[in-house]
Amino acid sequence: MPLVPIARGDGVWLYDFDGRRYLDAISSWWVNLFGHANPHINAALIAQLTELEHVMLAGFTHAPVIELSEKLSALTSGKLGHCFYASDGASAVEIALKMSFHFWRNSGCSKKTGFVSLEHSYHGETLGALSVTDVALFKDVYAPLLRHSAQVPSPDWRNAKDGESHRACAERSAHALERYLEQHHSETAALIVEPLVQGAAGMAMHDAHYLRLARDACDRYDVHLIADEIMIGCGRSGTFFAHEQAGITPDFLCLSKGITGGYLPLSVVMTSDDVYAAFYDDSVARGFLHSHSYTGNALACRAALATLEIFERDSVLERNRHKAAYLTRKAQRLVAHPRVKHFRHTGMIWAFDIDSTDPAFARNFYQAALEQELLLRPIGNTVYFMPPYVIAENEMDMLIDRTLDIIDALSA
Ligand SMILES: *Cc1c(COP(=O)(O)O)cnc(C)c1O
């Protein structure tokens, strides 16, 4: 497929050099929150550029990283009061895995070296992150390089048996986790999950009850809970953090993607006083050694602060609830379409599966969408919408109308 060279962006739109436009309905791979070339984030970055672009964080610090850590910690009501920075999602996952293992080692439990994740989970593609990922397409080739991790059944409600509710499906999966931990807790450091929506699995959604049961099982078996909110965090789930919907707090929270509004690479692992205390020591070997050159980059932190300011200034979570209701209402024509199965929705994500046996379905759909001015990239037979939060009603109308046209054209 030919590349699409993009000249500029404006709000939900991307423009190529021939003046054609594309509605970025997947937020440029799940990172953009408030549109391309957002005036508020642009202005904040320009101001930051004139003051400080970057300084190493070892022994030094700067205002944007301090302010950002305080704001993020306040968003967890201070429960996750410590922030460790890196540059991308996979690094955040590496950090959470290393920190969990090292916590247990410092606590005299050096046998707790294993990790457990959900079937079809995606946590990034560096070797450590890939080892807890369960997507064959990304993993199979590199299998000889990877450390073994265990997978337990996904609470994806599409796995519900006939007549089983989403909640009952979540309970059944949680029982399987419980059985796993019962046998393996003494060698398990942490469970890592994508709360509410497993993105790369094809927007697989589950009942929040699963997270409560998983939190409870992890507590009983002394296993950390790592919430990978790299995709679902920052309002995408409908609440600022997805785990809030279950009323739980993870031991580690990984954020990236939308944290800078989709502007610059930045990730953060947030953790509790308890975890922090296990590393606070004069001995270097007990300390957590992990660094990246651009850790806590000042420009990226400034973009993140500007993003958080927009959340407050525009009551974004409240406004998104109205937008989500509008799009869901409009999407009823999709729900009713004979080729559409498992229509699902969480916060600002909508997904459905297309009944198609065409092995090139995703590619053909992508191509047809581009011709209709839409950037949509199905995962297998799953079509999903994950638009920037600034999408307007007429743009949502266009998204639904043209998606229906594409489905009909591809079925003809
Ligand atoms: C994208 C993603 C990652 C990896 O982030 P990168 O910045 O691409 O390394 C990890 N976990 C989840 C849930 C993601 O969606």
Side-chain angles (χ1 to χ4, degrees):
M1 282 182 291
L3 295 175
V4 184
I6 292 301
R8 65 186 182 89
D10 183 11
V12 298
W13 295 100
L14 294 165
Y15 295 88
D16 70 13
F17 289 85
D18 302 324
R20 286 184 53 85
R21 60 174 198 169
Y22 307 94
L23 195 163
D24 189 355
I26 58 168
S27 294
S28 281
W29 258 353
W30 321 348
V31 299
N32 193 287
L33 300 190
F34 297 118
H36 297 279
N38 180 282
H40 183 71
I41 305 175
N42 284 4
L45 279 176
I46 291 166
Q48 183 61 43
L49 262 177
T50 62
E51 283 175 6
L52 176 69
E53 78 303 329
H54 180 74
V55 64
M56 65 178 192
L57 275 195
F60 283 63
T61 190
H62 54 73
V65 79
I66 294 172
E67 275 174 51
L68 179 60
S69 306
E70 284 171 354
K71 286 235 160 91
L72 288 174
S73 152
L75 285 167
T76 70
S77 308
K79 287 183 188 135
L80 301 174
H82 303 273
C83 295
F84 196 100
Y85 290 89
S87 322
D88 53 55
S91 314
V93 169
E94 300 284 341
I95 289 163
L97 299 176
K98 281 174 71 176
M99 229 187 246
S100 171
F101 155 80
H102 201 161
F103 169 93
W104 293 117
R105 188 185 154 100
N106 282 353
S107 311
C109 306
S110 51
K111 286 208 189 106
K112 286 167 91 69
T113 61
F115 297 104
V116 53
S117 63
L118 302 186
E119 277 172 359
H120 311 303
S121 60
Y122 180 89
H123 300 293
E125 292 170 55
T126 52
L127 293 179
L130 193 57
S131 75
V132 289
T133 288
D134 185 42
V135 180
L137 173 68
F138 304 125
K139 194 167 184 176
D140 283 0
V141 176
Y142 304 104
L145 301 181
L146 302 175
R147 190 167 176 279
H148 173 75
S149 73
Q151 273 68 50
V152 288
S154 164
D156 177 356
W157 63 248
R158 290 174 301 175
N159 297 333
K161 295 177 177 160
D162 269 350
E164 193 181 38
S165 68
H166 298 181
R167 188 179 163 106
C169 174
E171 279 168 4
R172 185 161 49 83
S173 312
H175 283 148
L177 169 66
E178 174 90 29
R179 280 194 299 278
Y180 178 83
L181 292 181
E182 196 177 6
Q183 282 193 4
H184 299 282
H185 63 93
S186 59
E187 70 259 26
T188 303
L191 163 71
I192 180 167
V193 292
E194 295 163 83
L196 301 185
V197 182
Q198 293 181 269
M203 303 302 155
M205 299 185 185
H206 58 254
D207 193 289
H209 194 49
Y210 182 79
L211 302 170
R212 273 190 291 276
L213 298 173
R215 175 71 276 181
D216 184 53
C218 286
D219 284 344
R220 274 182 289 114
Y221 290 108
D222 266 346
V223 166
H224 286 140
L225 176 62
I226 304 173
D228 176 351
E229 298 211 13
I230 290 167
M231 178 279 280
I232 198 74
C234 303
R236 193 51 82 172
S237 70
T239 44
F240 192 80
F241 299 121
H243 66 262
E244 291 172 46
Q245 294 185 34
I248 59 147
T249 305
D251 299 291
F252 299 92
L253 172 63
C254 301
L255 300 174
S256 188
K257 290 205 165 98
I259 186 92
T260 62
Y263 265 65
L264 286 161
L266 181 75
S267 62
V268 54
V269 180
M270 300 179 66
T271 192
S272 62
D273 289 344
D274 271 1
V275 171
Y276 180 79
F279 294 95
Y280 196 78
D281 197 280
D282 287 335
S283 149
V284 174
R286 286 180 65 90
F288 185 67
L289 298 184
H290 183 107
S291 60
H292 291 288
S293 309
Y294 283 98
T295 289
N297 174 260
L299 285 169
C301 289
R302 180 55 69 198
L305 283 167
T307 300
L308 295 181
E309 281 155 17
I310 298 175
F311 270 99
E312 277 182 37
R313 186 193 70 187
D314 297 348
S315 309
V316 168
L317 296 175
E318 172 66 22
R319 210 181 262 194
N320 280 358
R321 272 194 284 280
H322 296 289
K323 290 197 183 192
Y326 182 87
L327 203 151
T328 303
R329 216 162 40 240
K330 280 277 156 182
Q332 292 313 303
R333 283 161 62 214
L334 278 167
V335 179
H337 196 284
R339 308 234 8 234
V340 168
K341 288 188 306 186
H342 295 138
F343 183 88
R344 50 201 183 273
H345 163 226
T346 297
M348 290 296 281
I349 306 174
W350 293 260
F352 51 91
D353 306 332
I354 293 287
D355 191 7
S356 163
T357 49
D358 177 5
F361 170 79
R363 207 176 54 200
N364 292 338
F365 192 99
Y366 167 77
Q367 204 61 51
L370 286 182
E371 281 156 29
Q372 296 284 339
E373 303 184 307
L374 299 179
L375 170 49
L376 286 170
R377 275 181 66 122
I379 301 171
N381 281 11
T382 296
V383 178
Y384 68 92
F385 306 139
M386 202 194 283
Y389 304 164
V390 293
I391 190 167
E393 288 188 356
N394 63 331
E395 292 158 345
M396 294 192 249
D397 294 345
M398 173 191 151
L399 178 59
I400 300 294
D401 291 345
R402 295 195 184 180
T403 298
L404 279 159
D405 290 347
I406 298 163
I407 295 170
D408 288 335
L410 290 183
S411 318

